[in-house]
Amino acid sequence: MDLGIRGRKALLCGASRGLGRACALALAQEGVDVTIIARGSEALEEAAAEIAAANPVAVKTVAGDVTTKEGRAAALAACSRPDILLNNADGPLPGDYRDWSRNDWIDALDAMMLSPIEMMRLTVDGMMARGFGRIVNIVSRSVKIPQIELGLSNGARSGLVGFVAGLARQTIEHNVTINNLLPGIFDSDAQRQHVRALVEPDGRSFEELWRERAAANPARRFGRPEELGAYCAFLCSEHAGFITGQNLLIDGGSYPGTY
Ligand SMILES: NC(=O)c1ccc[n+]([C@@H]2O[C@H](COP(=O)([O-])OP(=O)(O)OC[C@H]3O[C@@H](n4cnc5c(N)ncnc54)[C@H](OP(=O)(O)O)[C@@H]3O)[C@@H](O)[C@H]2O)c1
């Protein structure tokens, strides 16, 4: 299927590794020019080189932190009129809610709720004026299946999802869609870090916990980042203009509900 987005411009936050990088690659394979953002420049340049080597598109990099005003400004300076926006950054480490201070909560809200909202605020009017826009937020299944040790994520990301539910219904008439992708377990650096953080309290090895997590999923495996990248590319396609305000699980069937 031709996704009909050749020549479009995408701004992808958190895209040097893992799920964000897979989204950038999938869009580049569809002929989209990509601007990718991450804090660390080594992985960023490596990702850009890999994407550019395999695809005849323009690839720009921005080394910056999208949870800061400066980072967002640098991103938009590099790609001032994006047709496609991917919001993505780090999630929180697991912990006990008793240990979280007000500052921990403010940091979580900044990273997982307010930064993506700010990126949308800065780009959505231009998309509406131009008559095309696709915004995808990488969120987490934790907004549908609360994970007890990820309270900061359960809370902050629910705020984002709640905001998007209202905004997405105001932009769709201008062919601007906004959807949230809710990943389950994917094999990425962040997932490995998450499992590593569970090792000590649990007393079992990383390998044991890793295997146990895969076995607990109905697919008996972790998701592959490129599977999420392909989903993201479809949501950004011209064919997906009637899909908006949705919270889309991609989790190997681990969400246990019918609806
Ligand atoms: N993987 C999973 O199983 C899973 C499941 C549910 C939810 N999620 C969520 O999905 C998101 C992506 O996860 P992932 O597994 O792809 O993580 P990952 O492999 O660690 O990749 C995260 C990417 O985002 C960049 N990044 C992080 N914070 C940033 C910031 N403040 N500003 C700019 N770039 C930033 C990282 O580069 P730098 O570190 O160099 O900035 C990296 O390129 C996270 O929010 C995670 O919580 C993941």
Side-chain angles (χ1 to χ4, degrees):
M1 184 192 280
D2 178 355
L3 296 189
I5 47 177
R6 193 162 301 281
R8 296 274 182 199
K9 299 198 176 331
L11 180 57
L12 298 109
C13 304
S16 67
R17 293 182 277 114
L19 306 180
R21 178 178 176 150
C23 293
L25 188 57
L27 287 169
Q29 284 164 350
E30 294 301 321
V32 173
D33 294 333
V34 296
T35 299
I36 60 173
I37 306 139
R39 292 161 302 182
S41 44
E42 199 180 323
L44 188 63
E45 295 308 326
E46 191 193 297
E50 184 197 293
I51 294 167
N55 303 282
V57 297
V59 182
K60 287 193 213 166
T61 58
V62 178
D65 182 338
V66 290
T67 66
T68 66
K69 199 174 170 183
E70 298 71 30
R72 291 189 289 272
L76 284 161
C79 180
S80 56
R81 289 159 59 94
D83 304 302
I84 293 167
L85 170 68
L86 178 81
N87 281 312
N88 181 45
D90 272 348
L93 283 174
D96 185 322
Y97 73 92
R98 296 172 189 85
D99 300 329
W100 295 327
S101 66
R102 176 178 165 76
N103 281 344
D104 293 327
W105 275 105
I106 300 294
D107 288 348
L109 290 169
D110 269 342
M112 288 177 277
M113 178 185 171
L114 300 177
S115 297
I117 288 175
E118 189 62 2
M119 287 302 290
M120 287 188 268
R121 186 182 73 79
L122 292 166
T123 54
V124 80
D125 287 341
M127 290 177 178
M128 287 196 286
R130 295 190 295 277
F132 180 91
R134 299 286 184 262
I135 300 177
V136 174
N137 300 306
I138 296 186
V139 187
S140 170
R141 64 173 172 165
S142 68
V143 298
K144 283 187 80 114
I145 317 173
Q147 288 171 270
I148 211 76
E149 74 284 5
L150 289 179
L152 292 169
S153 171
N154 303 339
R157 296 199 208 256
S158 293
L160 172 63
V161 163
F163 174 77
V164 165
L167 180 61
R169 271 94 185 169
Q170 298 171 58
T171 63
I172 180 78
E173 69 176 296
H174 303 286
N175 192 23
V176 177
T177 67
I178 313 178
N179 291 290
N180 304 310
L181 273 180
L182 315 185
I185 54 165
F186 274 79
D187 187 348
S188 70
D189 290 354
Q191 180 67 236
R192 286 172 184 275
Q193 195 182 1
H194 177 78
V195 172
R196 246 176 250 122
L198 298 172
V199 165
E200 210 182 321
D202 190 275
R204 284 175 296 157
S205 70
F206 173 87
E207 289 70 26
E208 205 176 336
L209 287 174
W210 189 259
R211 275 197 304 274
E212 187 180 283
R213 279 173 97 76
N217 189 286
R220 312 286 173 239
R221 65 173 174 88
F222 286 81
R224 292 184 281 270
E226 61 270 25
E227 294 173 314
L228 187 139
Y231 200 172
C232 174
F234 176 73
L235 289 173
C236 296
S237 75
E238 68 168 6
H239 311 296
F242 208 55
I243 305 172
T244 202
Q246 299 305 301
N247 296 307
L248 303 164
L249 282 163
I250 173 162
D251 70 345
S254 78
Y255 175 69
T258 306
Y259 302 106

